[in-house]
Amino acid sequence: MERTEKEEEREKEEQTVSLLDVLQEDEQLEDEASAVLAGSDSDHCSYPEGYVKRQALYACLTCSGAEAAGVCLACSYKCHEGHDLYELYTKRNFRCDCGNKKFPELTCKLYPEKDEVNSLNRYSQNFSGLYCTCSRPYPDPEDTVEDEMIQCVVCEDWLHGRHLGRAVPDSVETTEMICESCMNKNPFLWSYAATLAVPGESQVKQEVESNRKLPEEEKSDEEPSCKRLRQGEEPMKGEGPMKGEEPVKGEGPVKGEGPSCRLKELQTEKTDQSGAAFWPSAWRSQLCRCCSCKDSMSRCGLSFLLEETDTVLSYETKGQSSEPIRESRDHDVMMSAMDHLNRTQQLDIIHGYNDMKTELKDFLQNFASEGKVVTSEDIRHFFEQQKKRRRDER
């Protein structure tokens, strides 16, 4: 049976991606790259800055082999171009390893005077291209399940959503996650999770639905193991002080003892201590900052949790507000090709290139907004017009 002309046209429309979609996707990818990379210097090795608070990092399999090592953004461009690199996203408190003892056959082109090792750097399986509790590469050619990966705030490993032991909230883009392993290594975090963490709503709903399907005699009288206090809900009152503690009168701190410890106030409720914990924006500002808690967090190596600027969101916001990294990349490529020209000629070409790029984007945007198809003839006509205009301006 032959298809009608309308059916063929409908099929073409379904298979065609509009130019506007392409432009929007390209712009989104550029914005994401700027968010991650623009917060790091693409021209200078970060080593002289010491252990950088947060920066984009890469691991070079070509140079370091099985040795765990990380290089900064600039060194990935200048010293490891064309190498087999693992993109590590961002890491905190890391100093560039490029050209040190871990790279026996490589000298850093940007900053060769480095110590043999950076003793305070922390390495993980990520530096070998492995991620999650399943220790698999990303992307994983053998994994047929479409699943997002989320970075733990503490260990900074990336974990599959299905391996977190808790339902991923819909607002995951605006939350931070601490994996179950890091929560168990720092058990005081469970006390905060009771009131600050995002409830696992999807998991609760699934359990409720499954309970409805059970016959009455098969339902358990026990409370679900995942029951937690909702965000903003106060702990139950009337239970008295914790065992071994003296009751405190009044709402303020005890005279002469400094601020009260909020963590102790939260340690009166039992919480489900399983699965990852998801934390809403600004949750760090609600952590206790009494002297005892600060000392404890320092001993655990978690002082960074008290800093709002440590978050990846803060880093990305800074990157998006600065000059996009793609501009510096374009600049590098052009300047390397024009070393033989004088500065005036270089500036003329750079300005001309930037103008043409802007005009081409505007030209394509007109087609996209009107839903028209761009043909090779249209593109040819665009560049002919550009040449004609350049000749008229001379």
Side-chain angles (χ1 to χ4, degrees):
M1 181 177 180
E2 296 183 0
R3 293 181 299 174
T4 65
E5 185 176 335
K6 289 185 178 181
E7 289 175 337
E8 292 179 353
E9 290 180 357
R10 190 181 304 111
E11 182 177 341
K12 289 180 180 179
E13 290 178 357
E14 292 175 351
Q15 294 176 349
T16 301
V17 178
S18 72
L19 179 59
L20 180 59
D21 292 335
V22 174
L23 291 174
Q24 290 176 341
E25 182 179 358
D26 181 63
E27 186 174 351
Q28 181 180 358
L29 291 174
E30 289 183 341
D31 289 341
E32 291 176 357
S34 296
V36 177
L37 303 182
S40 300
D41 193 334
S42 62
D43 298 313
H44 305 92
C45 178
S46 63
Y47 182 86
E49 301 176 36
Y51 293 87
V52 180
K53 193 169 185 179
R54 183 172 291 281
Q55 63 177 318
L57 288 179
Y58 299 81
C60 183
L61 181 62
T62 303
C63 297
S64 61
E67 188 80 17
V71 301
C72 67
L73 177 64
C75 286
S76 73
Y77 291 160
K78 311 295 183 181
C79 307
H80 302 269
E81 183 180 3
H83 293 186
D84 189 1
L85 295 173
Y86 294 132
E87 185 177 358
L88 303 176
Y89 197 61
T90 68
K91 302 287 185 183
R92 69 166 63 86
N93 299 332
F94 197 93
R95 198 172 195 183
C96 180
D97 286 323
C98 181
N100 67 10
K101 186 179 179 180
K102 297 190 173 188
F103 297 85
E105 299 181 2
L106 175 76
T107 300
C108 181
K109 299 177 182 178
L110 299 178
Y111 199 90
E113 298 83 17
K114 289 184 171 74
D115 292 338
E116 289 190 349
V117 294
N118 297 313
S119 58
L120 298 182
N121 280 356
R122 293 177 55 190
Y123 305 95
S124 66
Q125 63 175 352
N126 296 172
F127 290 81
S128 299
L130 302 178
Y131 305 88
C132 191
T133 55
C134 59
S135 296
R136 296 293 301 171
Y138 181 83
D140 188 349
E142 298 180 8
D143 190 359
T144 58
V145 180
E146 292 186 7
D147 195 1
E148 61 186 330
M149 298 197 76
I150 305 173
Q151 189 178 36
C152 174
V153 172
V154 177
C155 67
E156 297 190 299
D157 193 3
W158 291 82
L159 292 86
H160 295 102
R162 64 185 186 275
H163 294 157
L164 293 175
R166 185 170 295 277
V168 178
D170 295 334
S171 59
V172 66
E173 294 84 3
T174 57
T175 61
E176 293 189 292
M177 183 272 291
I178 299 181
C179 69
E180 182 177 12
S181 176
C182 289
M183 291 291 291
N184 291 334
K185 290 177 182 177
N186 306 281
F188 71 93
L189 291 174
W190 290 115
S191 297
Y192 285 117
T195 54
L196 299 183
V198 178
E201 296 180 357
S202 297
Q203 188 172 3
V204 172
K205 288 180 180 179
Q206 291 173 2
E207 290 185 2
V208 170
E209 291 296 327
S210 63
N211 284 340
R212 287 176 180 173
K213 297 176 183 179
L214 289 175
E216 289 297 328
E217 62 273 15
E218 293 181 17
K219 290 185 179 180
S220 173
D221 294 332
E222 298 180 1
E223 295 184 351
S225 60
C226 65
K227 183 179 180 181
R228 301 167 61 185
L229 290 175
R230 294 186 177 273
Q231 185 178 350
E233 185 177 345
E234 295 294 332
M236 295 179 62
K237 297 181 180 180
E239 294 185 29
M242 294 176 61
K243 185 178 180 180
E245 289 187 359
E246 294 296 326
V248 180
K249 297 181 179 180
E251 297 182 355
V254 178
K255 185 177 180 180
E257 294 187 5
S260 61
C261 177
R262 185 183 184 192
L263 179 59
K264 288 185 177 180
E265 296 173 358
L266 295 175
Q267 289 175 336
T268 59
E269 282 292 321
K270 294 183 64 177
T271 60
D272 169 32
Q273 299 186 2
S274 63
F278 292 90
W279 311 83
S281 59
W283 72 279
R284 299 185 184 212
S285 63
Q286 301 184 56
L287 298 178
C288 182
R289 283 165 169 74
C290 72
C291 294
S292 177
C293 284
K294 283 184 176 181
D295 291 341
S296 177
M297 295 186 77
S298 177
R299 289 192 300 270
C300 296
L302 299 179
S303 295
F304 60 85
L305 289 180
L306 300 176
E307 301 178 24
E308 294 289 329
T309 56
D310 171 78
T311 65
V312 173
L313 180 60
S314 176
Y315 171 88
E316 291 182 346
T317 301
K318 176 184 175 182
Q320 288 175 326
S321 63
S322 62
E323 182 181 5
I325 195 67
R326 59 182 178 273
E327 296 296 337
S328 63
R329 281 178 170 177
D330 291 344
H331 180 270
D332 287 344
V333 173
M334 293 173 63
M335 293 306 293
S336 63
M338 299 186 297
D339 286 340
H340 63 285
L341 302 178
N342 61 44
R343 181 163 180 78
T344 301
Q345 292 172 320
Q346 290 177 350
L347 291 176
D348 287 342
I349 292 178
I350 290 174
H351 289 313
Y353 169 77
N354 287 332
D355 291 341
M356 185 196 68
K357 186 172 65 171
T358 301
E359 291 170 1
L360 178 59
K361 188 170 184 178
D362 292 340
F363 174 76
L364 296 176
Q365 188 69 49
N366 290 331
F367 281 83
S369 60
E370 296 177 7
K372 294 182 179 179
V373 177
V374 182
T375 65
S376 58
E377 186 63 29
D378 293 324
I379 299 297
R380 190 179 301 110
H381 177 71
F382 171 83
F383 284 106
E384 286 177 353
Q385 291 295 108
Q386 291 289 313
K387 292 178 182 178
K388 183 178 183 300
R389 197 184 72 178
R390 297 289 187 271
R391 288 195 298 267
D392 294 340
E393 291 175 350
R394 290 176 181 174

